[in-house]
Amino acid sequence: MNPGDAHADGRILILDDDPQVGQTVAWMAENLGMQSRATTNPTRFFELLEEWPPSHIVLDLVMPAMDGVEIMRHLAGRHCQARIIISSGVGTRVLDAARRAAAEHALPVAGVLPKPFTTDKLEDLLHRGTELAAGETVAASHLPPEIPPAWIEQALKTREIEVAYQPKVACGDGSVMGFEVLARWHHPQHGVIPPDRFVPVAEANGLIRSLTERVLESSLIWMAGRDAVESRVTPLTLAVNLSARCLDDVTFADHLAGQCRDHGIEPERVTLELTETAAMEDTVTALDLLTRLRMKGFHLAIDDFGTGYSSMVQLTRLPFSELKIDKSFTIAATASEEARTIVRSTIDLSRSLGLEAVAEGVEDAATLELLQELRCDMAQGYYIAPPMPPDAIADWLTAWRQQ
Ligand code: C2E
Ligand code: CA
Ligand code: CA
């Protein structure tokens, strides 16, 4: 059986280089009615993962042979579905890095088991969901390592691919500015397939334009519906992710503007968030197209700023109006001096260039307070709200505005 297959419930696999720690956790798990296996050896750990697929993994971060972050990378490579509990004893920086690594690989982390270990705390973590946002689940079993493009094509036809909305709020007074639109695939057999798994396949197989148009279409229809029931002085905005692969077709700008016109939403209310800017480094078409989109009124945001190709060069070359600070910096900002410095400098840079700064990945109150202090314009993250299905938005808005 491979580790991506359905795992047995109530099985806990422990990897810790201290056999005594492994034994303690195993003993606590058994007291809670679970089966357990503990090992001190990473090679044995991966063998057990195959032979005896667990429902939960307890992972020590600091080990001599292979550290926990590396183990997580291997787990992601094997599309491991077991929930991970990190056994700590290390400083917050290492824990932060580990959480980030897990989030980047979309590994389901249930949380951290602090020392001294107690059965109560373990029980709590075993019953808890993962740190993925509420309402989001990890893709279920039997998903092939590379999703066949034909599946995506089919899903676009059958409308299995829908959207979730995550609010963006003003840091100053918490008022809701708009929503980022995130693609969600509800597969009848495989559960929710995360966009990180299918967007790259869509990009590589000529399906990204249809996907983008579908996502924009759904959100425009939804927004037009909202406008009809709630008139506002400042209308809410939509932020749609735009793949660089869409930028090699000059007709795209007209098409997007046409979609907005059809649904009565001005392009000024739509921000297009761009990542992977390297893909368009050399194309004059991309620059032309982005300029035309701006002229038609769309806003452009540089996404995941500070990582990969979302760099200074792109910032000066392209007509952006908004900068999104990558969540890896935001998440670490309260615990790490370095991350805080990057966030502060990026906000200052945005202000100097006349761009709006948006911090994504706001996971707690302390981070939101810090962003207010640093005079960041907008915030987005699980602390404010996870990405939500459209029918959950009205209740969330009511609750948020009361608070
Ligand atoms: P992104 O554009 O950076 O979107 C933000 C991601 O961060 C979303 O993941 C969101 O669920 C997650 N997130 C939001 N708040 C928090 C938080 O507080 N903490 C943490 N750890 N994460 C948070 P999601 O929905 O899985 O999307 C992943 C990526 O897939 C997106 O990253 C975007 O690049 C891509 N994507 C999603 N929908 C589309 C689409 O329609 N078209 C294209 N081209 N790309 C899309
Ligand atoms: Ca985005
Ligand atoms: Ca981002």
Side-chain angles (χ1 to χ4, degrees):
M1 200 181 216
N2 88 47
D5 288 355
H7 49 240
D9 241 2
R11 279 182 174 186
I12 189 162
L13 177 60
I14 304 148
L15 175 62
D16 199 304
D17 68 316
D18 181 342
Q20 206 127 55
V21 171
Q23 261 325 302
T24 309
V25 179
W27 178 80
M28 290 188 324
E30 271 159 34
N31 265 347
L32 293 168
M34 297 186 76
Q35 297 179 51
S36 68
R37 298 279 169 89
T39 175
T40 56
N41 178 327
T43 312
R44 181 66 193 134
F45 170 79
F46 285 110
E47 282 167 11
L48 279 168
L49 197 66
E50 300 275 336
E51 295 163 10
W52 190 79
S55 58
H56 291 80
I57 291 172
V58 173
L59 185 62
D60 182 12
L61 282 183
V62 190
M63 289 175 296
M66 198 190 267
D67 71 49
V69 174
E70 205 178 332
I71 303 268
M72 285 202 272
R73 204 166 45 236
H74 286 288
L75 289 173
R78 290 160 192 241
H79 304 297
C80 173
Q81 306 291 322
R83 288 183 179 171
I84 300 170
I85 294 171
I86 298 170
S87 65
S88 86
V90 294
T92 48
R93 279 187 63 159
V94 179
L95 278 178
D96 267 356
R99 274 203 154 108
R100 262 198 324 271
E104 270 159 28
H105 292 305
L107 282 171
V109 173
V112 175
L113 184 64
K115 279 180 178 155
F117 301 143
T118 66
T119 309
D120 281 356
K121 184 65 195 168
L122 180 64
E123 188 175 20
D124 175 43
L125 289 170
L126 290 171
H127 291 153
R128 202 193 283 180
T130 65
E131 290 185 341
L132 290 177
E136 308 212 298
T137 48
V138 220
S141 52
H142 303 294
L143 206 56
E146 172 90 313
I147 292 168
W151 286 21
I152 302 178
E153 218 166 338
Q154 182 65 17
L156 285 168
K157 280 196 199 116
T158 56
R159 302 195 169 254
E160 273 164 34
I161 298 183
E162 256 304 320
V163 296
Y165 298 91
Q166 187 177 34
K168 283 162 81 176
V169 304
C171 288
D173 62 1
S175 55
V176 181
M177 309 303 288
F179 299 89
E180 176 168 2
V181 190
L182 294 153
R184 287 293 176 272
W185 184 354
H186 301 270
H187 192 284
Q189 275 92 48
H190 298 288
V192 178
I193 304 179
D196 291 334
R197 293 295 305 280
F198 65 84
V199 169
V201 181
E203 284 175 337
N205 293 277
L207 296 166
I208 192 65
R209 183 165 166 173
S210 313
L211 178 70
T212 310
E213 287 170 3
R214 161 63 48 79
V215 165
L216 179 66
E217 183 84 7
S218 297
S219 60
L220 289 172
I221 292 172
W222 176 74
M223 188 55 90
R226 285 209 54 77
D227 284 358
V229 293
E230 192 190 85
S231 64
R232 287 169 52 95
V233 189
T234 330
L236 293 170
T237 60
L238 289 169
V240 173
N241 291 285
L242 190 62
S243 162
R245 292 292 160 87
C246 294
L247 300 180
D248 48 18
D249 182 347
V250 280
T251 64
F252 193 59
D254 291 329
H255 191 91
L256 294 191
Q259 278 186 294
C260 288
R261 203 180 321 112
D262 291 348
H263 296 285
I265 307 282
E266 302 79 33
E268 283 78 6
R269 292 172 65 188
V270 179
T271 302
L272 302 168
E273 298 191 357
L274 252 111
T275 41
E276 255 200 275
T277 33
M280 58 197 196
E281 235 160 31
D282 304 321
T283 61
V284 181
T285 328
L287 181 56
D288 272 13
L289 188 75
L290 290 172
T291 309
R292 293 188 58 210
L293 285 166
R294 278 294 282 141
M295 288 184 326
K296 288 180 187 297
F298 290 101
H299 291 276
L300 294 179
I302 183 163
D303 208 346
D304 302 339
F305 188 77
T307 66
Y309 299 108
S310 276
S311 67
M312 296 289 187
V313 183
Q314 307 301 344
L315 200 54
T316 50
R317 267 185 77 242
L318 300 170
F320 290 111
S321 43
E322 183 180 300
L323 182 157
K324 292 194 90 172
I325 303 170
D326 189 69
K327 55 180 173 289
S328 60
F329 303 115
T330 315
I331 290 170
T334 52
S336 141
E337 183 63 50
E338 294 90 331
R340 191 155 56 243
T341 305
I342 292 173
V343 171
R344 182 186 298 113
S345 324
T346 309
I347 294 168
D348 291 345
L349 175 72
S350 308
R351 195 172 303 119
S352 321
L353 293 173
L355 305 173
E356 294 226 84
V358 183
E360 58 176 28
V362 178
E363 295 189 349
D364 51 37
T367 306
L368 187 57
E369 277 165 32
L370 173 69
L371 291 165
Q372 284 161 346
E373 248 169 66
L374 298 176
R375 295 178 42 227
C376 184
D377 297 301
M378 280 179 266
Q380 181 183 339
Y382 296 162
Y383 176 67
I384 298 150
M388 296 173 281
D391 55 12
I393 302 288
D395 284 349
W396 177 82
L397 273 172
T398 311
W400 180 258
R401 284 169 182 160
Q402 265 163 12
Q403 157 189 315

